[in-house]
Amino acid sequence: MCGIIGYVGKRNAIPVLINGLKRLEYRGYDSAGIAFLNDNKITVRRCAGKIRDLENSIKGERLRSFIGLGHTRWATHGRPSEENAHPHRAGGIVLVHNGIIENYFELKEDLKKKGHVFTSETDTEVICHLIYSFSQKGLSFEDATREALKHVEGAYAIGVINEREPDRMLAVKKDSPLVLGLGEGEFFIASDIPAFLKYTRDVIIPENGELAVITDKGVSISGLISKKPVRKQTTRITWSPAMAEKGGYRHFMLKEIYEQPRAISDTIRGRFFPEKGVVNLEEFSLRAGDLKKVNKIFLVACGTSWHAALIGKYMIEDMARVPCEVDIASEFRYRRPIVPEDSLVIVITQSGETADTIAAQREAQKLGARVLSICNVVGSTSAREADSVFYTHSGPEIGVASTKAFTTQLTGLYLFSIALAKAKGALKSGEIKELFSELLQLPEKVEKALRINNAVLKVARKFYHARDFLYLGRGINYPIALEGALKLKEISYIHAEGYPAGEMKHGPIALIDNNMPVLALAPDDKVFEKILSNMEEVNSRGGKVIAVATEGAAKALVRASHALFLPKTNYYLTPVIFSIPLHLLAYHMAVLRKCNVDQPRNLAKSVTVE
Ligand code: F6R
């Protein structure tokens, strides 16, 4: 996830681009750059770091231009550095990109054979070279871009300028966000409206497969392949600038919850080959041979990432039959763990900077183990120091409470478990194909599950005065009970506990009276009947049951005072779907209790102290 901006008009483009990038910084902040055109020459200025660093690097220079592009990066391919920062250039073609190019490796190899020289590790640079290669064959800027994009697979929103046709900017989108702003004699492209809201509220939203040509006279849109002109409607935006930064959502946490279908799609894109039944191990920087040798796995993490680790144990042991131990990072490093030679330590961390997790990772390496980091931040300490890395492509998570990072960690663990099971011969190819088919449907099912929001809000209105809350789950959804309780505690300050439902009768049942809401996770899996019995036990002691169940599970409804129904998926992916109402419930309760959702008291997004 990155932010792009482009300007064509009558004012100096440089401050417009810098201001726009500041408004897009929430989309990524590890490197930034701008490109602008003067006298048929494009100047590119880039740097690693934040927009402030870019701004400082050009301070005092009298830069002026009327057409330019800007980019703020959230690294996906290649570490955060000046060379990998956008805009990228090939010949006179300069480009910014948000998205992921799935077939960049093949395209790059092909272009290299034809003599193209690459200066970055990014997937983006191949688009630039492709457009340049077609323009060298005599095609116009527009046609070269159309032709180049026929070869590109993946997701993109791009802005391109060309020294040979300096009066125009081109913009195209496929599966990545792009909006066009229409001012008086000035026009904008951007990943999000706040980037240009200061200058205009009139926007056009291009569809996938549409190409926009932007000059200071106006914007014309046509089909990328068909070249047919497309008439678009202009929409007037009424958001305040603060609302706009959150994409119209009241809080980053809610925005991030709603970003999950996109985050999961980006995390699985290009990482497995459904027809062949194979996981792309290059993306884990692992070899099948290495996986085959693994006989023991340790999963180590903190907080919400530790909940992902607990679920990972269920997935790995069930699919691949390799024994796992799960540790809280601060425990692992001090407990003198016995780590056999053929062990793999999987470290799970959104930020890649959590001090306890990094210390545990170093301890594991000291003990001779190979470390795989499942991490969201490219170039972070965990990612740099690990032997192998799997990046979750959820984009920057700004809200302190982790949501989309958690479900993409689960997605990564699911892919890893399949890869390990395949290497170990523990799953048949038909079973693997079924697991892939369910994974492909996951973004859509998450989208469907999010429609539960209003029903969750009703439950929150009923219970937001509660003093305590109990969450019950079984099997692979027991860690989701822990996750629901953690989220409620951390953002709404209600005391909550998560319990394996079978354990309730061994103690916590004493807490149940008519003031105690009990949320029971009841997917229709092999322990469904058992959780129904636990719900009965709560009912008969006057507790209020909120059931979270699979669509059509009427038996859950009759045992609950409130029921929330979710789409059916396979056993391993239920935690992804079932975490959605729990994150939403914590969110709504916190809002109703007037708590600071995105920055809860005493907490920090990245805990860099032990
Ligand atoms: C809870 C939450 C924290 C983090 C934990 C680990 O909502 O966000 O519990 O999960 O601090 O952080 P990372 O994953 O960055 O190592």
Side-chain angles (χ1 to χ4, degrees):
M1 192 162 128
C2 302
I4 68 170
I5 175 150
Y7 176 79
V8 183
K10 309 249 174 316
R11 53 177 114 209
N12 185 5
I14 317 304
V16 176
L17 297 174
I18 297 285
N19 280 330
L21 288 179
K22 285 183 182 166
R23 307 258 68 88
L24 293 175
E25 202 162 18
Y26 76 88
R27 301 181 61 83
Y29 38 73
D30 57 41
S31 47
I34 53 170
F36 46 92
L37 236 160
N38 269 323
D39 302 329
N40 298 359
K41 279 263 153 301
I42 299 175
T43 307
V44 176
R45 302 295 295 268
R46 314 181 288 188
C47 72
K50 296 189 182 274
I51 316 294
R52 206 181 330 110
D53 300 312
L54 176 68
E55 199 176 16
N56 286 339
S57 74
I58 58 173
K59 209 175 194 163
E61 295 184 50
R62 291 179 183 222
L63 305 176
R64 248 188 115 63
S65 168
F66 302 108
I67 175 163
L69 293 168
H71 189 273
T72 180
R73 181 164 184 251
W74 176 258
T76 57
H77 294 73
R79 76 214 135 81
S81 66
E82 187 175 330
E83 307 79 65
N84 289 333
H86 301 215
H88 288 287
R89 174 200 280 274
I93 307 284
V94 173
L95 175 145
V96 288
H97 165 226
N98 165 216
I100 297 171
I101 305 306
E102 284 172 23
N103 61 338
Y104 86 98
F105 188 75
E106 295 91 312
L107 292 173
K108 192 169 176 175
E109 291 303 301
D110 197 42
L111 285 159
K112 276 202 231 156
K113 279 186 208 140
K114 291 179 182 149
H116 287 255
V117 177
F118 286 79
T119 56
S120 79
E121 304 159 299
T122 65
D123 52 342
T124 301
E125 203 185 345
V126 297
I127 319 178
C128 225
H129 281 271
L130 267 181
I131 299 176
Y132 179 54
S133 73
F134 284 109
S135 66
Q136 275 182 315
K137 288 181 185 158
L139 295 190
S140 69
F141 180 25
E142 224 182 285
D143 284 344
T145 304
R146 291 181 197 276
E147 208 47 50
L149 290 173
K150 282 186 192 164
H151 299 263
V152 171
E153 288 165 23
Y156 52 80
I158 57 169
V160 206
I161 48 177
N162 181 359
E163 289 178 347
R164 285 223 217 133
E165 295 183 42
D167 65 326
R168 62 198 52 216
M169 172 179 292
L170 305 185
V172 192
K173 81 152 252 165
K174 181 177 167 268
D175 295 335
S176 287
L178 182 71
V179 285
L180 307 177
L182 313 181
E184 293 279 319
E186 57 180 358
F187 304 92
F188 307 79
I189 68 163
S191 303
D192 204 352
I193 295 162
F196 53 68
L197 198 60
K198 189 170 161 192
Y199 311 101
T200 181
R201 285 175 182 269
D202 292 330
V203 306
I204 288 179
I205 317 275
E207 296 297 329
N208 279 344
E210 290 180 347
L211 175 136
V213 180
I214 303 126
T215 67
D216 63 0
K217 310 276 178 311
V219 173
S220 66
I221 298 181
S222 57
L224 178 67
I225 306 301
S226 71
K227 298 189 181 182
K228 280 196 190 132
V230 182
R231 279 179 69 85
K232 304 291 287 186
Q233 225 183 335
T234 304
T235 309
R236 175 149 289 194
I237 296 297
T238 53
W239 295 346
S240 69
M243 258 172 88
E245 244 165 83
K246 294 173 186 140
Y249 292 97
R250 203 166 151 197
H251 297 98
F252 279 112
M253 182 182 174
L254 190 61
K255 174 169 178 278
E256 287 158 8
I257 289 175
Y258 274 88
E259 275 175 352
Q260 288 177 105
R262 196 269 314 143
I264 292 170
S265 290
D266 282 355
T267 299
I268 64 177
R269 197 187 300 284
R271 278 157 159 197
F272 64 108
F273 309 107
E275 328 73 44
K276 295 190 204 151
V278 172
V279 174
N280 182 355
L281 286 177
E282 235 173 66
E283 289 287 344
F284 280 94
S285 27
L286 278 173
R287 285 194 304 254
D290 294 334
L291 274 183
K292 212 169 165 188
K293 285 189 219 135
V294 172
N295 282 324
K296 172 104 194 231
I297 291 183
F298 292 81
L299 296 131
V300 182
C302 299
T304 287
S305 299
W306 176 67
H307 298 153
L310 290 169
I311 294 166
K313 175 182 164 79
Y314 285 89
M315 291 185 188
I316 295 168
E317 290 193 341
D318 208 64
M319 286 193 220
R321 308 304 294 149
V322 174
C324 296
E325 278 186 40
V326 184
D327 271 272
I328 288 185
S330 53
E331 292 298 318
F332 180 84
R333 57 175 303 212
Y334 293 116
R335 80 170 167 88
R336 297 186 63 217
I338 299 164
V339 180
E341 221 179 88
D342 46 6
S343 303
L344 176 71
V345 174
I346 303 181
V347 159
I348 306 173
T349 168
Q350 184 285 128
S351 61
E353 301 295 348
T354 302
D356 287 321
T357 307
I358 300 296
Q361 173 170 339
R362 289 177 180 154
E363 181 65 24
Q365 282 172 321
K366 220 160 74 194
L367 294 170
R370 193 186 165 91
V371 170
L372 163 68
S373 169
I374 298 186
C375 182
N376 193 37
V377 180
V378 174
S380 58
T381 307
S382 173
R384 281 198 321 271
E385 294 187 7
D387 303 291
S388 316
V389 188
F390 177 86
Y391 285 115
T392 52
H393 291 319
S394 60
E397 203 177 52
I398 311 282
V400 163
S402 188
T403 53
K404 61 177 181 169
F406 174 63
T407 47
T408 55
Q409 287 166 350
L410 296 181
T411 309
L413 285 162
Y414 183 84
L415 277 172
F416 172 80
S417 308
I418 298 173
L420 184 64
K422 187 170 169 72
K424 293 274 179 191
L427 285 177
K428 300 198 186 77
S429 71
E431 291 170 316
I432 293 180
K433 283 189 183 162
E434 257 174 51
L435 292 168
F436 282 154
S437 144
E438 198 57 42
L439 184 60
L440 284 169
Q441 296 171 51
L442 187 63
E444 207 182 311
K445 289 194 179 171
V446 169
E447 189 96 57
K448 214 169 147 203
L450 286 165
R451 293 188 205 137
I452 207 164
N453 185 42
N454 282 343
V456 177
L457 177 59
K458 276 190 199 147
V459 175
R461 285 204 179 111
K462 190 93 192 151
F463 292 107
Y464 76 98
H465 289 302
R467 249 191 44 202
D468 306 284
F469 235 91
L470 190 60
Y471 287 75
L472 300 178
R474 278 177 175 263
I476 202 164
N477 284 296
Y478 152 54
I480 294 299
L482 297 178
E483 172 61 9
L486 173 65
K487 282 291 177 292
L488 194 67
K489 280 185 273 210
E490 73 174 324
I491 61 170
S492 74
Y493 318 138
I494 296 175
H495 167 244
E497 296 205 40
Y499 250 89
E503 270 292 290
M504 189 178 64
K505 56 187 174 296
H506 298 287
I509 199 160
L511 292 169
I512 292 176
D513 61 15
N514 52 12
N515 290 319
M516 176 67 106
V518 179
L519 187 142
L521 293 156
D524 68 346
D525 57 14
K526 59 185 175 209
V527 286
F528 180 56
E529 293 294 332
K530 302 273 174 224
I531 194 106
L532 291 180
S533 312
N534 300 130
M535 286 155 70
E536 293 286 16
E537 289 157 16
V538 174
N539 280 327
S540 54
R541 284 154 185 88
K544 298 271 173 302
V545 175
I546 304 155
V548 181
T550 312
E551 271 164 356
K555 281 184 182 174
L557 190 60
V558 294
R559 287 165 178 86
S561 59
H562 296 79
L564 299 166
F565 290 106
L566 294 163
K568 184 164 174 56
T569 180
N570 69 20
Y571 171 71
Y572 306 110
L573 293 175
T574 48
V576 174
I577 301 287
F578 276 62
S579 65
I580 290 167
L582 274 58
H583 286 169
L584 284 169
L585 183 65
Y587 170 78
H588 288 303
M589 303 262 265
V591 172
L592 290 163
R593 291 165 70 91
K594 304 201 179 349
C595 299
N596 186 342
V597 172
D598 284 331
Q599 287 168 343
R601 71 184 177 208
N602 308 338
L603 286 169
K605 182 67 188 157
S606 181
V607 186
T608 53
V609 288
E610 284 183 40

